[in-house]
PDB file of all heavy atoms in Angstrom:
ATOM      1  N   SER A   5     -55.293  -3.226 -17.443  1.00 42.00           N
ATOM      2  CA  SER A   5     -56.502  -3.963 -17.894  1.00 42.00           C
ATOM      3  C   SER A   5     -56.466  -5.417 -17.366  1.00 42.00           C
ATOM      4  O   SER A   5     -57.485  -6.077 -17.352  1.00 42.00           O
ATOM      5  CB  SER A   5     -56.672  -3.924 -19.343  1.00 42.00           C
ATOM      6  OG  SER A   5     -55.580  -4.608 -20.055  1.00 42.00           O
ATOM      7  N   CYS A   6     -55.319  -5.844 -16.936  1.00 42.00           N
ATOM      8  CA  CYS A   6     -55.129  -7.258 -16.486  1.00 42.00           C
ATOM      9  C   CYS A   6     -55.109  -7.303 -14.893  1.00 42.00           C
ATOM     10  O   CYS A   6     -54.807  -8.315 -14.358  1.00 42.00           O
ATOM     11  CB  CYS A   6     -53.935  -7.915 -16.986  1.00 42.00           C
ATOM     12  SG  CYS A   6     -53.942  -8.154 -18.819  1.00 42.00           S
ATOM     13  N   SER A   7     -55.402  -6.179 -14.270  1.00 40.00           N
ATOM     14  CA  SER A   7     -55.379  -6.182 -12.828  1.00 40.00           C
ATOM     15  C   SER A   7     -56.462  -7.097 -12.250  1.00 40.00           C
ATOM     16  O   SER A   7     -57.388  -7.417 -12.875  1.00 40.00           O
ATOM     17  CB  SER A   7     -55.578  -4.731 -12.269  1.00 40.00           C
ATOM     18  OG  SER A   7     -56.897  -4.315 -12.568  1.00 40.00           O
ATOM     19  N   GLY A   8     -56.202  -7.454 -10.964  1.00 38.00           N
ATOM     20  CA  GLY A   8     -57.161  -8.389 -10.292  1.00 38.00           C
ATOM     21  C   GLY A   8     -58.605  -7.841 -10.275  1.00 38.00           C
ATOM     22  O   GLY A   8     -59.526  -8.696 -10.395  1.00 38.00           O
ATOM     23  N   LYS A   9     -58.799  -6.636 -10.067  1.00 38.00           N
ATOM     24  CA  LYS A   9     -60.211  -6.099 -10.004  1.00 38.00           C
ATOM     25  C   LYS A   9     -60.961  -6.404 -11.292  1.00 38.00           C
ATOM     26  O   LYS A   9     -62.084  -6.844 -11.277  1.00 38.00           O
ATOM     27  CB  LYS A   9     -60.219  -4.651  -9.737  1.00 38.00           C
ATOM     28  CG  LYS A   9     -61.599  -4.027  -9.616  1.00 38.00           C
ATOM     29  CD  LYS A   9     -61.523  -2.563  -9.231  1.00 38.00           C
ATOM     30  CE  LYS A   9     -62.862  -2.016  -9.069  1.00 38.00           C
ATOM     31  NZ  LYS A   9     -62.862  -0.561  -8.813  1.00 38.00           N
ATOM     32  N   LYS A  10     -60.376  -6.081 -12.421  1.00 37.00           N
ATOM     33  CA  LYS A  10     -61.093  -6.355 -13.726  1.00 37.00           C
ATOM     34  C   LYS A  10     -61.147  -7.808 -13.949  1.00 37.00           C
ATOM     35  O   LYS A  10     -62.127  -8.278 -14.602  1.00 37.00           O
ATOM     36  CB  LYS A  10     -60.391  -5.591 -14.804  1.00 37.00           C
ATOM     37  CG  LYS A  10     -60.495  -4.093 -14.614  1.00 37.00           C
ATOM     38  CD  LYS A  10     -60.124  -3.311 -15.821  1.00 37.00           C
ATOM     39  CE  LYS A  10     -60.239  -1.849 -15.475  1.00 37.00           C
ATOM     40  NZ  LYS A  10     -60.196  -0.939 -16.658  1.00 37.00           N
ATOM     41  N   LYS A  11     -60.148  -8.600 -13.594  1.00 39.00           N
ATOM     42  CA  LYS A  11     -60.200 -10.073 -13.799  1.00 39.00           C
ATOM     43  C   LYS A  11     -61.371 -10.589 -13.015  1.00 39.00           C
ATOM     44  O   LYS A  11     -62.047 -11.535 -13.544  1.00 39.00           O
ATOM     45  CB  LYS A  11     -58.924 -10.682 -13.248  1.00 39.00           C
ATOM     46  CG  LYS A  11     -58.080 -11.327 -14.205  1.00 39.00           C
ATOM     47  CD  LYS A  11     -56.885 -11.927 -13.594  1.00 39.00           C
ATOM     48  CE  LYS A  11     -56.002 -12.544 -14.620  1.00 39.00           C
ATOM     49  NZ  LYS A  11     -54.898 -13.199 -13.983  1.00 39.00           N
ATOM     50  N   LYS A  12     -61.729 -10.077 -11.841  1.00 44.00           N
ATOM     51  CA  LYS A  12     -62.809 -10.626 -11.117  1.00 44.00           C
ATOM     52  C   LYS A  12     -64.062 -10.567 -11.854  1.00 44.00           C
ATOM     53  O   LYS A  12     -64.779 -11.499 -11.915  1.00 44.00           O
ATOM     54  CB  LYS A  12     -62.985  -9.822  -9.762  1.00 44.00           C
ATOM     55  CG  LYS A  12     -64.107 -10.205  -8.961  1.00 44.00           C
ATOM     56  CD  LYS A  12     -64.194  -9.318  -7.693  1.00 44.00           C
ATOM     57  CE  LYS A  12     -65.382  -9.677  -6.865  1.00 44.00           C
ATOM     58  NZ  LYS A  12     -65.622  -8.809  -5.729  1.00 44.00           N
ATOM     59  N   TYR A  13     -64.323  -9.517 -12.579  1.00 45.00           N
ATOM     60  CA  TYR A  13     -65.596  -9.320 -13.359  1.00 45.00           C
ATOM     61  C   TYR A  13     -65.514 -10.227 -14.604  1.00 45.00           C
ATOM     62  O   TYR A  13     -66.550 -10.713 -14.954  1.00 45.00           O
ATOM     63  CB  TYR A  13     -65.796  -7.883 -13.746  1.00 45.00           C
ATOM     64  CG  TYR A  13     -66.089  -7.043 -12.460  1.00 45.00           C
ATOM     65  CD1 TYR A  13     -65.087  -6.129 -12.080  1.00 45.00           C
ATOM     66  CD2 TYR A  13     -67.273  -7.144 -11.870  1.00 45.00           C
ATOM     67  CE1 TYR A  13     -65.330  -5.351 -10.954  1.00 45.00           C
ATOM     68  CE2 TYR A  13     -67.421  -6.381 -10.711  1.00 45.00           C
ATOM     69  CZ  TYR A  13     -66.555  -5.507 -10.272  1.00 45.00           C
ATOM     70  OH  TYR A  13     -66.770  -4.712  -9.130  1.00 45.00           O
ATOM     71  N   ALA A  14     -64.360 -10.423 -15.118  1.00 60.00           N
ATOM     72  CA  ALA A  14     -64.262 -11.300 -16.283  1.00 60.00           C
ATOM     73  C   ALA A  14     -64.544 -12.722 -16.002  1.00 60.00           C
ATOM     74  O   ALA A  14     -64.934 -13.513 -16.820  1.00 60.00           O
ATOM     75  CB  ALA A  14     -62.794 -11.173 -16.878  1.00 60.00           C
ATOM     76  N   GLU A  15     -64.397 -13.150 -14.723  1.00 86.00           N
ATOM     77  CA  GLU A  15     -64.643 -14.494 -14.289  1.00 86.00           C
ATOM     78  C   GLU A  15     -66.130 -14.799 -13.904  1.00 86.00           C
ATOM     79  O   GLU A  15     -66.421 -15.863 -13.486  1.00 86.00           O
ATOM     80  CB  GLU A  15     -63.688 -14.892 -13.158  1.00 86.00           C
ATOM     81  CG  GLU A  15     -62.227 -14.839 -13.568  1.00 86.00           C
ATOM     82  CD  GLU A  15     -61.321 -15.068 -12.389  1.00 86.00           C
ATOM     83  OE1 GLU A  15     -61.841 -15.285 -11.206  1.00 86.00           O
ATOM     84  OE2 GLU A  15     -60.138 -15.081 -12.568  1.00 86.00           O
ATOM     85  N   CYS A  16     -66.959 -13.808 -14.015  1.00 92.00           N
ATOM     86  CA  CYS A  16     -68.379 -13.949 -13.560  1.00 92.00           C
ATOM     87  C   CYS A  16     -69.212 -14.164 -14.865  1.00 92.00           C
ATOM     88  O   CYS A  16     -69.062 -13.534 -15.911  1.00 92.00           O
ATOM     89  CB  CYS A  16     -68.885 -12.694 -12.864  1.00 92.00           C
ATOM     90  SG  CYS A  16     -68.043 -12.451 -11.323  1.00 92.00           S
ATOM     91  N   ASP A  17     -70.079 -15.196 -14.710  1.00 93.00           N
ATOM     92  CA  ASP A  17     -71.013 -15.450 -15.820  1.00 93.00           C
ATOM     93  C   ASP A  17     -72.390 -15.287 -15.395  1.00 93.00           C
ATOM     94  O   ASP A  17     -72.826 -15.585 -14.286  1.00 93.00           O
ATOM     95  CB  ASP A  17     -70.873 -16.947 -16.227  1.00 93.00           C
ATOM     96  CG  ASP A  17     -69.496 -17.324 -16.890  1.00 93.00           C
ATOM     97  OD1 ASP A  17     -69.008 -16.479 -17.582  1.00 93.00           O
ATOM     98  OD2 ASP A  17     -68.988 -18.415 -16.617  1.00 93.00           O
ATOM     99  N   TYR A  18     -73.177 -14.676 -16.320  1.00 94.00           N
ATOM    100  CA  TYR A  18     -74.599 -14.390 -16.037  1.00 94.00           C
ATOM    101  C   TYR A  18     -75.454 -15.173 -17.029  1.00 94.00           C
ATOM    102  O   TYR A  18     -75.186 -15.294 -18.205  1.00 94.00           O
ATOM    103  CB  TYR A  18     -74.884 -12.946 -16.177  1.00 94.00           C
ATOM    104  CG  TYR A  18     -74.263 -12.099 -15.051  1.00 94.00           C
ATOM    105  CD1 TYR A  18     -72.914 -11.695 -15.188  1.00 94.00           C
ATOM    106  CD2 TYR A  18     -74.983 -11.735 -13.931  1.00 94.00           C
ATOM    107  CE1 TYR A  18     -72.310 -10.937 -14.121  1.00 94.00           C
ATOM    108  CE2 TYR A  18     -74.353 -10.984 -12.926  1.00 94.00           C
ATOM    109  CZ  TYR A  18     -73.056 -10.593 -13.104  1.00 94.00           C
ATOM    110  OH  TYR A  18     -72.500  -9.887 -12.013  1.00 94.00           O
ATOM    111  N   ASP A  19     -76.565 -15.647 -16.490  1.00 94.00           N
ATOM    112  CA  ASP A  19     -77.595 -16.239 -17.364  1.00 94.00           C
ATOM    113  C   ASP A  19     -78.596 -15.077 -17.680  1.00 94.00           C
ATOM    114  O   ASP A  19     -79.173 -14.476 -16.819  1.00 94.00           O
ATOM    115  CB  ASP A  19     -78.372 -17.294 -16.592  1.00 94.00           C
ATOM    116  CG  ASP A  19     -79.437 -18.040 -17.429  1.00 94.00           C
ATOM    117  OD1 ASP A  19     -79.344 -18.008 -18.669  1.00 94.00           O
ATOM    118  OD2 ASP A  19     -80.312 -18.644 -16.809  1.00 94.00           O
ATOM    119  N   THR A  20     -78.791 -14.774 -18.969  1.00 95.00           N
ATOM    120  CA  THR A  20     -79.665 -13.682 -19.370  1.00 95.00           C
ATOM    121  C   THR A  20     -80.978 -14.209 -20.002  1.00 95.00           C
ATOM    122  O   THR A  20     -80.797 -14.996 -20.886  1.00 95.00           O
ATOM    123  CB  THR A  20     -78.864 -12.770 -20.300  1.00 95.00           C
ATOM    124  OG1 THR A  20     -77.709 -12.259 -19.597  1.00 95.00           O
ATOM    125  CG2 THR A  20     -79.729 -11.574 -20.738  1.00 95.00           C
ATOM    126  N   VAL A  21     -82.013 -13.700 -19.513  1.00 95.00           N
ATOM    127  CA  VAL A  21     -83.338 -14.129 -20.098  1.00 95.00           C
ATOM    128  C   VAL A  21     -84.092 -12.925 -20.460  1.00 95.00           C
ATOM    129  O   VAL A  21     -84.316 -12.010 -19.677  1.00 95.00           O
ATOM    130  CB  VAL A  21     -84.087 -14.903 -18.991  1.00 95.00           C
ATOM    131  CG1 VAL A  21     -85.505 -15.237 -19.495  1.00 95.00           C
ATOM    132  CG2 VAL A  21     -83.349 -16.153 -18.513  1.00 95.00           C
ATOM    133  N   LYS A  22     -84.608 -12.873 -21.758  1.00 97.00           N
ATOM    134  CA  LYS A  22     -85.462 -11.884 -22.207  1.00 97.00           C
ATOM    135  C   LYS A  22     -86.957 -12.388 -21.957  1.00 97.00           C
ATOM    136  O   LYS A  22     -87.253 -13.518 -22.352  1.00 97.00           O
ATOM    137  CB  LYS A  22     -85.303 -11.602 -23.626  1.00 97.00           C
ATOM    138  CG  LYS A  22     -83.985 -10.920 -24.020  1.00 97.00           C
ATOM    139  CD  LYS A  22     -83.903 -10.721 -25.420  1.00 97.00           C
ATOM    140  CE  LYS A  22     -82.573 -10.115 -25.796  1.00 97.00           C
ATOM    141  NZ  LYS A  22     -82.309  -9.883 -27.178  1.00 97.00           N
ATOM    142  N   THR A  23     -87.770 -11.603 -21.238  1.00 97.00           N
ATOM    143  CA  THR A  23     -89.074 -12.068 -20.902  1.00 97.00           C
ATOM    144  C   THR A  23     -90.033 -10.868 -20.841  1.00 97.00           C
ATOM    145  O   THR A  23     -89.692  -9.748 -21.205  1.00 97.00           O
ATOM    146  CB  THR A  23     -89.024 -12.785 -19.559  1.00 97.00           C
ATOM    147  OG1 THR A  23     -90.328 -13.358 -19.236  1.00 97.00           O
ATOM    148  CG2 THR A  23     -88.591 -11.827 -18.378  1.00 97.00           C
ATOM    149  N   LEU A  24     -91.267 -11.168 -20.386  1.00 97.00           N
ATOM    150  CA  LEU A  24     -92.305 -10.151 -20.156  1.00 97.00           C
ATOM    151  C   LEU A  24     -92.589 -10.111 -18.703  1.00 97.00           C
ATOM    152  O   LEU A  24     -92.634 -11.131 -18.026  1.00 97.00           O
ATOM    153  CB  LEU A  24     -93.503 -10.391 -20.958  1.00 97.00           C
ATOM    154  CG  LEU A  24     -93.485 -10.319 -22.515  1.00 97.00           C
ATOM    155  CD1 LEU A  24     -94.799 -10.750 -23.105  1.00 97.00           C
ATOM    156  CD2 LEU A  24     -93.108  -8.920 -22.902  1.00 97.00           C
ATOM    157  N   ALA A  25     -92.934  -8.900 -18.219  1.00 97.00           N
ATOM    158  CA  ALA A  25     -93.465  -8.749 -16.859  1.00 97.00           C
ATOM    159  C   ALA A  25     -94.833  -8.046 -17.040  1.00 97.00           C
ATOM    160  O   ALA A  25     -94.866  -7.002 -17.664  1.00 97.00           O
ATOM    161  CB  ALA A  25     -92.586  -7.851 -16.043  1.00 97.00           C
ATOM    162  N   GLU A  26     -95.856  -8.661 -16.478  1.00 98.00           N
ATOM    163  CA  GLU A  26     -97.201  -8.116 -16.550  1.00 98.00           C
ATOM    164  C   GLU A  26     -97.687  -7.582 -15.234  1.00 98.00           C
ATOM    165  O   GLU A  26     -97.504  -8.162 -14.158  1.00 98.00           O
ATOM    166  CB  GLU A  26     -98.123  -9.246 -16.944  1.00 98.00           C
ATOM    167  CG  GLU A  26     -99.606  -8.787 -17.157  1.00 98.00           C
ATOM    168  CD  GLU A  26    -100.493  -9.946 -17.642  1.00 98.00           C
ATOM    169  OE1 GLU A  26    -100.026 -11.059 -17.864  1.00 98.00           O
ATOM    170  OE2 GLU A  26    -101.709  -9.666 -17.749  1.00 98.00           O
ATOM    171  N   VAL A  27     -98.405  -6.394 -15.296  1.00 98.00           N
ATOM    172  CA  VAL A  27     -98.963  -5.797 -14.090  1.00 98.00           C
ATOM    173  C   VAL A  27    -100.214  -6.637 -13.739  1.00 98.00           C
ATOM    174  O   VAL A  27    -101.130  -6.689 -14.535  1.00 98.00           O
ATOM    175  CB  VAL A  27     -99.321  -4.351 -14.285  1.00 98.00           C
ATOM    176  CG1 VAL A  27     -99.934  -3.772 -13.001  1.00 98.00           C
ATOM    177  CG2 VAL A  27     -98.124  -3.484 -14.679  1.00 98.00           C
ATOM    178  N   ILE A  28    -100.106  -7.254 -12.539  1.00 98.00           N
ATOM    179  CA  ILE A  28    -101.296  -8.113 -12.160  1.00 98.00           C
ATOM    180  C   ILE A  28    -102.052  -7.557 -10.938  1.00 98.00           C
ATOM    181  O   ILE A  28    -103.146  -8.014 -10.647  1.00 98.00           O
ATOM    182  CB  ILE A  28    -100.843  -9.609 -11.869  1.00 98.00           C
ATOM    183  CG1 ILE A  28     -99.813  -9.600 -10.725  1.00 98.00           C
ATOM    184  CG2 ILE A  28    -100.283 -10.191 -13.121  1.00 98.00           C
ATOM    185  CD1 ILE A  28     -99.483 -10.987 -10.205  1.00 98.00           C
ATOM    186  N   ASN A  29    -101.495  -6.568 -10.288  1.00 98.00           N
ATOM    187  CA  ASN A  29    -102.155  -5.980  -9.185  1.00 98.00           C
ATOM    188  C   ASN A  29    -101.551  -4.585  -8.858  1.00 98.00           C
ATOM    189  O   ASN A  29    -100.360  -4.398  -9.025  1.00 98.00           O
ATOM    190  CB  ASN A  29    -102.077  -6.851  -7.876  1.00 98.00           C
ATOM    191  CG  ASN A  29    -103.026  -6.537  -6.833  1.00 98.00           C
ATOM    192  OD1 ASN A  29    -103.846  -5.691  -6.988  1.00 98.00           O
ATOM    193  ND2 ASN A  29    -102.961  -7.248  -5.732  1.00 98.00           N
ATOM    194  N   MET A  30    -102.372  -3.678  -8.388  1.00 97.00           N
ATOM    195  CA  MET A  30    -101.977  -2.374  -7.842  1.00 97.00           C
ATOM    196  C   MET A  30    -102.710  -2.163  -6.542  1.00 97.00           C
ATOM    197  O   MET A  30    -103.981  -2.257  -6.515  1.00 97.00           O
ATOM    198  CB  MET A  30    -102.153  -1.280  -8.877  1.00 97.00           C
ATOM    199  CG  MET A  30    -101.307  -1.419 -10.065  1.00 97.00           C
ATOM    200  SD  MET A  30    -101.366   0.034 -11.189  1.00 97.00           S
ATOM    201  CE  MET A  30    -102.953  -0.213 -11.928  1.00 97.00           C
ATOM    202  N   LYS A  31    -101.969  -1.933  -5.467  1.00 96.00           N
ATOM    203  CA  LYS A  31    -102.653  -1.790  -4.147  1.00 96.00           C
ATOM    204  C   LYS A  31    -101.844  -0.844  -3.342  1.00 96.00           C
ATOM    205  O   LYS A  31    -100.684  -0.547  -3.620  1.00 96.00           O
ATOM    206  CB  LYS A  31    -102.771  -3.183  -3.525  1.00 96.00           C
ATOM    207  CG  LYS A  31    -101.410  -3.865  -3.307  1.00 96.00           C
ATOM    208  CD  LYS A  31    -101.578  -5.301  -2.678  1.00 96.00           C
ATOM    209  CE  LYS A  31    -100.185  -5.895  -2.554  1.00 96.00           C
ATOM    210  NZ  LYS A  31    -100.319  -7.274  -2.113  1.00 96.00           N
ATOM    211  N   PRO A  32    -102.473  -0.332  -2.227  1.00 94.00           N
ATOM    212  CA  PRO A  32    -101.656   0.548  -1.345  1.00 94.00           C
ATOM    213  C   PRO A  32    -100.495  -0.204  -0.851  1.00 94.00           C
ATOM    214  O   PRO A  32    -100.546  -1.413  -0.454  1.00 94.00           O
ATOM    215  CB  PRO A  32    -102.623   0.816  -0.203  1.00 94.00           C
ATOM    216  CG  PRO A  32    -104.002   0.562  -0.773  1.00 94.00           C
ATOM    217  CD  PRO A  32    -103.843  -0.496  -1.817  1.00 94.00           C
ATOM    218  N   HIS A  33     -99.360   0.461  -0.862  1.00 90.00           N
ATOM    219  CA  HIS A  33     -98.000  -0.122  -0.345  1.00 90.00           C
ATOM    220  C   HIS A  33     -98.125  -0.359   1.116  1.00 90.00           C
ATOM    221  O   HIS A  33     -98.671   0.471   1.795  1.00 90.00           O
ATOM    222  CB  HIS A  33     -96.940   0.816  -0.709  1.00 90.00           C
ATOM    223  CG  HIS A  33     -95.599   0.174  -0.573  1.00 90.00           C
ATOM    224  ND1 HIS A  33     -94.913  -0.043   0.583  1.00 90.00           N
ATOM    225  CD2 HIS A  33     -94.777  -0.382  -1.594  1.00 90.00           C
ATOM    226  CE1 HIS A  33     -93.756  -0.625   0.352  1.00 90.00           C
ATOM    227  NE2 HIS A  33     -93.651  -0.842  -0.973  1.00 90.00           N
ATOM    228  N   PRO A  34     -97.620  -1.474   1.665  1.00 87.00           N
ATOM    229  CA  PRO A  34     -97.646  -1.723   3.035  1.00 87.00           C
ATOM    230  C   PRO A  34     -97.014  -0.593   3.897  1.00 87.00           C
ATOM    231  O   PRO A  34     -97.389  -0.377   5.074  1.00 87.00           O
ATOM    232  CB  PRO A  34     -96.783  -2.992   3.277  1.00 87.00           C
ATOM    233  CG  PRO A  34     -96.806  -3.604   1.896  1.00 87.00           C
ATOM    234  CD  PRO A  34     -96.954  -2.543   0.866  1.00 87.00           C
TER     235      PRO A  34
END
């Protein structure tokens, strides 16, 4: 559990935001 691979993830910080996403357009995909 103290190996380098797992340590790498423990050293990462994320900014987490709860929000809304609104559908504003629907069109043929390019």
Side-chain angles (χ1 to χ4, degrees):
S5 67
C6 293
S7 69
K9 182 178 181 185
K10 294 191 181 193
K11 246 184 180 178
K12 177 181 177 186
Y13 295 108
E15 294 174 1
C16 294
D17 292 323
Y18 290 85
D19 182 23
T20 301
V21 177
K22 292 180 182 179
T23 187
L24 292 175
E26 180 179 0
V27 177
I28 60 169
N29 196 2
M30 290 189 284
K31 59 187 179 183
H33 196 280

